[in-house]
Amino acid sequence: MELSKEPYKGTRDFYPEDMYLQKYIFDTMRRVVETYGYIEYGASILEETALYKAKSGEEIVNEQTYSFTDRGGRDVTIRPEMTPTVARMVARKRQELAFPLRWYSIPNLFRYERPQRGRLREHWQLNVDVFGIANIEADAEIIFVSYQLMKAFGAKEESFIIRINNRKLINFLLSDLLKLKPDEVYKLSKIIDRKDKLEASEFQAQVATMLADRTEAFIKLLNTKDLTELASLIPSNNGVKELLELSELLKARQIPNVVFDLSLMRGFDYYTGTVFEVFDTSALNNRSLFGGGRYDDLVGLFGEEKVGGVGFGMGDVTIKDFMETYGLIPKYKTTTQVYICPINAEYFQKADELAQSLRENGINVVVDYTERKLASQIKTADKQGLAYIICVGDEEVETGKYKLKNLHTHEQVEVLETELLATIKSS
Ligand code: HAM
């Protein structure tokens, strides 16, 4: 049987043009978050399975992880998300770290999912988290950074919307108002989490299995968009108070596209307060782009004093789909600037000398050693998207003058060897 040329299901090969885009995405992410003082950390892709069992949620641990037993008998999981890892790292050095922390990372994560648009088995995810700020200012900053990231990728305000909700409010509705038992709260919150993926009738049917004749009233409540009205009904609920405060802070930061959405759950069990999600508003790509929230109990799970965290994860796949939808993908540009074409092997040494002196001055140069005709060499340079070619032959070596041709503009200038560098740099 022939070996397959395809990458493993749900993963991607990154050819240079794909890598160029990936790098653009990561560079943009880094640039934005670093302006807010977030600093980078990293960790291994392998963790002990117990780490995820603690809080990530059953779905992700039972159905979506790549787990195995190592040769020493340890249960190991390839990380499906970064939050448990970062919480572990914070707990591990809690005594030494200078809180509040503003940390980010761009790890690759692995989830055993059914590959589809926006969902793969390996993706990279920018994680931006604050640790050690108890008040809502941190939640507002995190959402503001998300908003600024969208702007940095070229998004217009009308192309995306930020939905916000609060776990304290949802828990109050499900436990106190509906008087559901903890396992029922869990079950119903998972149904609500799937709301967008279900037909309205199917959603209603699933809710009805739990709430019977209270279904209609509950769904009506879920669709409430008016936070002030809700606040007047349950003024003492902390979730509502936090949401009101958050809305004010986001208004003060002049983010126009924030909406309250009581049905926004977010899958993970560890969120304890604010949850938010950024959605694409276009009909072509109407889906969740990324999201996050506050988790005040994760660090404490490691036997340390509680340290609250709030953050989000932004995936490379969904942001790329978004950029495609809106025509925001930058044009590929190779990092190599100059292609030197010796007319035959006799001129390799001279070509190397020229190349080396340019490289020492910060220009990226390749020399064509194929001994092909000049026309073929130039064709390769053009196909690879290089800007400049310099040919090296008898005439050039005798006169000391080189033709520097720009393949993008088709302009050609003849310059002395000593002027090559300055000419390239000035254009
Ligand atoms: P999450 O919602 O599971 O949250 O993932 C965050 C984002 O990562 C998603 O909105 C999406 O952009 C991307 N993503 C997730 N799974 C996939 C996949 N299979 N294929 C492509 N993209 C994917 C978390 O992971 C939380 N740990 C985020 C967080 C950080 N919360 C607080 N801090």
Side-chain angles (χ1 to χ4, degrees):
M1 203 181 72
E2 259 184 52
L3 268 181
S4 167
K5 295 189 201 68
E6 295 306 307
Y8 166 68
K9 184 171 177 178
T11 69
R12 292 161 290 171
D13 291 329
F14 290 89
Y15 287 90
E17 297 200 6
D18 309 310
M19 208 60 211
Y20 178 79
L21 178 58
Q22 188 79 334
K23 188 169 179 295
Y24 167 82
I25 293 175
F26 291 0
D27 287 350
T28 306
M29 289 171 166
R30 287 202 166 87
R31 178 165 49 79
V32 173
V33 302
E34 284 180 4
T35 53
Y36 291 83
Y38 288 79
I39 52 173
E40 191 165 8
Y41 67 93
S44 166
I45 60 167
L46 300 179
E47 286 279 8
E48 289 197 11
T49 304
L51 180 68
Y52 305 105
K53 290 213 167 123
K55 267 285 177 176
S56 288
E58 273 172 37
E59 186 192 359
I60 201 152
V61 177
N62 294 342
E63 297 163 25
Q64 296 191 340
T65 52
Y66 283 87
S67 298
F68 61 95
T69 308
D70 74 8
R71 289 168 208 274
R74 284 177 208 88
D75 288 331
V76 180
T77 291
I78 306 180
R79 62 186 176 199
E81 57 153 338
M82 199 61 171
T83 312
T85 298
V86 74
R88 179 180 64 65
M89 287 169 66
V90 170
R92 185 167 167 231
K93 297 220 166 174
R94 203 192 62 80
Q95 310 284 352
E96 305 150 53
L97 292 165
F99 291 96
L101 309 176
R102 284 178 169 82
W103 281 10
Y104 82 92
S105 192
I106 314 180
N108 55 339
L109 308 176
F110 298 81
R111 297 184 190 181
Y112 192 78
E113 309 215 39
R114 191 168 59 80
Q116 54 194 288
R117 184 167 166 84
R119 297 244 142 219
L120 296 176
R121 291 188 172 174
E122 181 189 28
H123 76 284
W124 273 258
Q125 191 190 84
L126 168 68
N127 276 251
V128 183
D129 292 272
V130 176
F131 290 92
I133 299 182
N135 65 31
I136 298 295
E137 291 289 344
D139 308 45
E141 176 175 298
I142 279 293
I143 295 177
F144 190 57
V145 171
S146 307
Y147 168 82
Q148 293 297 350
L149 273 162
M150 290 304 292
K151 302 281 281 186
F153 282 111
K156 295 211 173 73
E157 268 140 18
E158 62 269 23
S159 330
F160 68 101
I161 198 153
I162 305 170
R163 297 190 189 161
I164 57 169
N165 197 9
N166 192 296
R167 280 280 172 92
K168 289 174 191 150
L169 171 59
I170 307 166
N171 289 342
F172 171 80
L173 294 178
L174 303 189
S175 316
D176 301 70
L177 215 63
L178 292 172
K179 306 243 179 294
L180 298 178
K181 295 191 210 89
D183 61 319
E184 293 170 330
V185 169
Y186 190 79
K187 222 169 132 193
L188 185 55
S189 53
K190 293 291 160 190
I191 296 175
I192 302 171
D193 190 33
R194 286 198 300 272
K195 179 168 168 275
D196 282 350
K197 293 180 190 136
L198 302 172
E199 294 286 331
S201 57
E202 176 59 24
F203 177 65
Q204 179 153 7
Q206 290 198 11
V207 176
T209 60
M210 305 205 55
L211 298 184
D213 57 354
R214 296 183 293 177
T215 302
E216 215 168 295
F218 179 70
I219 292 183
K220 196 165 164 235
L221 181 70
L222 270 191
N223 290 329
T224 313
K225 295 278 175 260
D226 193 342
L227 186 58
T228 352
E229 192 191 311
L230 199 69
S232 67
L233 297 173
I234 40 170
S236 62
N237 178 261
N238 276 338
V240 173
K241 282 189 202 157
E242 288 180 12
L243 276 166
L244 283 172
E245 210 183 314
L246 180 64
S247 300
E248 283 310 310
L249 290 174
L250 295 176
K251 230 180 257 164
R253 289 180 189 250
Q254 295 178 339
I255 310 184
N257 45 351
V258 179
V259 293
F260 164 60
D261 182 352
L262 189 51
S263 70
L264 176 74
M265 293 296 303
R266 294 205 36 81
F268 295 108
D269 297 349
Y270 49 65
Y271 293 119
T272 52
T274 302
V275 284
F276 76 98
E277 203 141 307
V278 179
F279 281 79
D280 184 345
T281 54
S282 90
L284 290 172
N285 191 45
N286 187 238
R287 53 181 30 234
S288 158
L289 295 170
F290 65 99
R294 179 174 276 275
Y295 47 98
D296 281 341
D297 301 332
L298 266 190
V299 175
L301 280 182
F302 299 89
E304 286 294 326
E305 213 175 280
K306 268 192 181 183
V307 181
V310 49
F312 64 87
M314 177 191 221
D316 65 330
V317 184
T318 37
I319 196 66
K320 185 174 148 267
D321 288 347
F322 178 88
M323 289 163 74
E324 262 163 11
T325 307
Y326 291 95
L328 299 171
I329 305 267
K331 200 171 169 293
Y332 172 72
K333 240 177 91 187
T334 169
T335 44
T336 316
Q337 293 150 288
V338 178
Y339 198 92
I340 301 188
C341 313
I343 59 163
N344 59 43
E346 241 179 81
Y347 293 95
F348 283 175
Q349 195 185 339
K350 183 63 200 172
D352 281 340
E353 278 169 30
L354 272 182
Q356 205 52 26
S357 77
L358 290 173
R359 288 178 192 134
E360 279 160 12
N361 287 286
I363 308 283
N364 302 340
V365 190
V366 295
V367 176
D368 189 315
Y369 299 121
T370 60
E371 300 186 55
R372 290 174 300 169
K373 289 202 183 89
L374 270 186
S376 317
Q377 297 187 36
I378 295 169
K379 209 165 147 193
T380 302
D382 195 31
K383 217 170 154 191
Q384 291 185 354
L386 269 88
Y388 291 106
I389 50 160
I390 300 170
C391 297
V392 184
D394 342 329
E395 196 188 314
E396 285 80 10
V397 172
E398 267 165 38
T399 60
K401 279 187 180 162
Y402 291 83
K403 294 186 192 78
L404 182 70
K405 183 163 180 180
N406 186 321
L407 294 176
H408 297 164
T409 62
H410 305 291
E411 277 166 23
Q412 182 170 297
V413 284
E414 201 178 29
V415 292
L416 284 170
E417 184 176 337
T418 47
E419 292 162 0
L420 274 173
L421 177 69
T423 317
I424 294 167
K425 282 204 162 165
S426 69
S427 58

